Amino acid sequence: MNLQIKQKMLLSSLIPLALLIFICGVAINMMGKIEQGVIRIYNDRVVPLEDLKIIGDDYAVYVIDAVNKANAGDFTAQEAATALKNANSNIRTLWAKYMATELTTEEALLAKQASAMFGPADNQIEQLIKKLDNFSGNIKGQLANEIIPLYQVIDPISGKISELVALQIRVAGDEKQAVTDSASESVKLFLLLAIC
């Protein structure tokens, strides 16, 4: 009889301990899912968003701006060539980094379309770099014929980059909602366990 009481006491203390261990396991699992969601948002949405903005700026601001400034006489041929080379190198590096992230199906399609547009733009930029390397000093008015063709290959890229940026924001919102839902489910589960 004494043994049964000891067993009952032991059992009554083991049940809350087992429940506590179970709750801790569930909590760790849920927190892991939430952490993974936050990491995904940062690595696959926030960082690429910044990279896409820089790529867009490099094309639309640094490349176009350098050619316009050189044509206006505000940049020397060497300054314009350096700006184009730096922008081109930066674009390639950031695009490769972006393509290494986890892309959604829609994002992969948009990225493929953007990649196809990079070829003509890169060719135009390479031709401009070669032309600028043959000049020195002030080249005011000597790039007038290159400006419109440059806009024609860069403007479509800017549009596609804008689509990718909008997609990043939308997918980040979806990820945020998934993290919020996971946290909400955790709270409901803990409340249910607390009632039991």
Side-chain angles (χ1 to χ4, degrees):
M1 179 147 179
N2 222 3
L3 188 59
Q4 280 185 336
I5 293 173
K6 283 184 179 178
Q7 286 174 340
K8 285 181 182 179
M9 287 180 63
L10 181 63
L11 189 59
S12 67
S13 64
L14 285 178
I15 290 174
L17 181 61
L19 188 59
L20 183 62
I21 291 170
F22 173 74
I23 290 172
C24 287
V26 169
I28 290 169
N29 183 36
M30 296 280 191
M31 294 307 281
K33 287 180 182 178
I34 291 169
E35 180 184 18
Q36 286 303 312
V38 171
I39 290 170
R40 261 193 324 274
I41 290 171
Y42 183 77
N43 290 339
D44 293 334
R45 302 296 150 223
V46 175
V47 172
L49 193 61
E50 180 182 15
D51 292 344
L52 287 170
K53 183 197 176 307
I54 293 169
I55 290 168
D57 287 349
D58 279 351
Y59 272 124
V61 177
Y62 292 107
V63 171
I64 296 287
D65 194 49
V67 174
N68 279 321
K69 282 184 176 177
N71 193 57
D74 287 340
F75 264 16
T76 64
Q78 295 83 355
E79 288 171 327
T82 299
L84 293 179
K85 289 173 188 173
N86 290 343
N88 219 15
S89 173
N90 200 33
I91 288 165
R92 286 182 182 150
T93 301
L94 291 175
W95 187 252
K97 181 180 164 193
Y98 170 73
M99 292 301 288
T101 63
E102 189 176 325
L103 304 176
T104 66
T105 305
E106 183 182 358
E107 188 177 11
L109 177 64
L110 289 173
K112 184 178 178 183
Q113 292 168 354
S115 290
M117 294 174 183
F118 286 174
D122 290 344
N123 288 338
Q124 193 79 26
I125 292 167
E126 289 299 326
Q127 287 175 8
L128 275 167
I129 290 170
K130 286 178 186 173
K131 184 170 187 170
L132 288 165
D133 284 343
N134 289 325
F135 290 120
S136 65
N138 189 314
I139 56 169
K140 185 175 182 175
Q142 296 184 44
L143 299 178
N145 293 334
E146 279 76 17
I147 293 172
I148 295 302
L150 192 59
Y151 274 110
Q152 289 171 339
V153 293
I154 288 180
D155 283 348
I157 293 172
S158 297
K160 197 57 67 177
I161 295 292
S162 294
E163 287 182 59
L164 283 165
V165 166
L167 180 66
Q168 293 296 319
I169 293 168
R170 193 181 78 227
V171 173
D174 294 345
E175 290 279 350
K176 177 197 158 289
Q177 188 59 51
V179 168
T180 301
D181 292 346
S182 183
S184 179
E185 287 174 25
S186 300
V187 169
K188 288 175 187 173
L189 181 62
F190 291 137
L191 288 174
L192 182 65
L193 291 171
I195 292 170
C196 296

